[in-house]
Amino acid sequence: SQTIHQWPATLVQPVGSPLSLECTVEGTSNPNLYWYRQAAGRGLQLLFYSVGIGQISSEVPQNLSASRPQDRQFILSSKKLLLSDSGFYLCAWSVGRVRGTEAFFGQGTRLTVV
Amino acid sequence: AQSVTQLDSHVSVSEGTPVLLRCNYSSSYSPSLFWYVQHPNKGLQLLLKYTSAATLVKGINGFEAEFKKSETSFHLTKPSAHMSDAAEYFCVVSEGSARQLTFGSGTQLTVLP
C-alpha cells in the first residue's frame, strides 16, 4: 500500500533562517506531489505541485520554493523565513493524470517563525 | 470556474444525535466531490468521494453524503455522533485532476457528552 511521510512534525525557526521540509511517498511511481499551507482558522492553500522530477509549478508568489530531486521526494525550502511563513504545511500526493482522483495527505509540519 | 461553500463554520451536536455538515458547490462541468476530516495537528483523511456514480456515497466511520445536482449540494451526514467525530471537516470540489482541488473553509464539529 502507499504511504506518505513528512517531517519534521513541528519546527520553531527564527526570522531570517533557512527552511527545509521533506516529504517522501512509498508504494507508487510517478505520483503528482503537492505542498499546501494551512493558516490558523483558514482553509488549505495550494503552494506548489509537481507532475514529475524537476517539474515544479507555483500557485502563489511567495518566499518559498519547492524541488523534486527524485520521483517520490518533494522538498519545500526557504532561504530566509518571514513571520508570515508560520503555519501548518501539508504534503500530499495523487495518482497522475487521472480525472476525479483524490489527494492523500501527510501528517503535516507545524512551523512557527519567531 | 469551481468553488465550494461550507455553510457553517461551527456545528455542535450531542453524542448520539445526528450530524449534518452542509456544503454547496459551483462547477462548470461534472465535478468530483470529496469530504476530508482533520483532527488537531494532523493531516487530512479522506472520508468519502463522489465521482459521477451513485449519488448516495458511503464513507468511513458511518458517514455518508448525497450528491444533489439540482441543489448543487453535497451535505455530509451521520446518524449518530461519537465523541471521536470531533474534528474539522472539509468539503472539496474538483473539475479535473487532483491539482485542481478546491477546498472549502472547513466546518469545526464539536460533540458534546
Side-chain angles (χ1 to χ4, degrees), chain B residues 25 29 33 54 56 62 64-65 68 75 77 81 84 88 92 94 98 101-102 106-107 111:
Chain B
Y25 70 91
Y29 304 97
L33 293 158
L56 182 62
E64 62 181 37
K68 293 187 176 180
H75 301 334
T77 61
S84 60
E88 188 154 26
V92 183
S94 174
L101 296 176
T102 297
T107 298
V111 181

Side-chain angles (χ1 to χ4, degrees), chain B residues 2-104:
Chain B
Q2 61 188 27
S3 66
V4 60
T5 302
Q6 292 185 240
L7 300 169
D8 307 291
S9 58
H10 292 85
V11 170
S12 290
V13 300
S14 297
E15 189 175 20
T17 64
V19 175
L20 170 64
L21 304 183
R22 299 183 294 165
C23 173
N24 285 107
Y25 70 91
S26 173
S27 174
S28 304
Y29 304 97
S30 297
S32 298
L33 293 158
F34 312 86
W35 275 100
Y36 283 85
V37 60
Q38 184 181 31
H39 289 89
N41 290 310
K42 298 293 185 183
L44 278 71
Q45 180 184 20
L46 181 68
L47 278 178
L48 49 81
K49 65 177 180 179
Y50 165 79
T51 54
S52 75
T55 57
L56 182 62
V57 182
K58 294 187 183 298
I60 62 172
N61 301 335
F63 285 94
E64 62 181 37
E66 186 172 7
F67 174 71
K68 293 187 176 180
K69 187 175 181 179
S70 61
E71 299 175 11
T72 62
S73 69
F74 190 58
H75 301 334
L76 182 70
T77 61
K78 183 174 180 177
S80 176
H82 191 272
M83 296 298 290
S84 60
D85 295 328
E88 188 154 26
Y89 292 79
F90 292 94
C91 182
V92 183
V93 64
S94 174
E95 292 179 345
S97 66
R99 71 178 175 89
Q100 294 167 284
L101 296 176
T102 297
F103 287 78

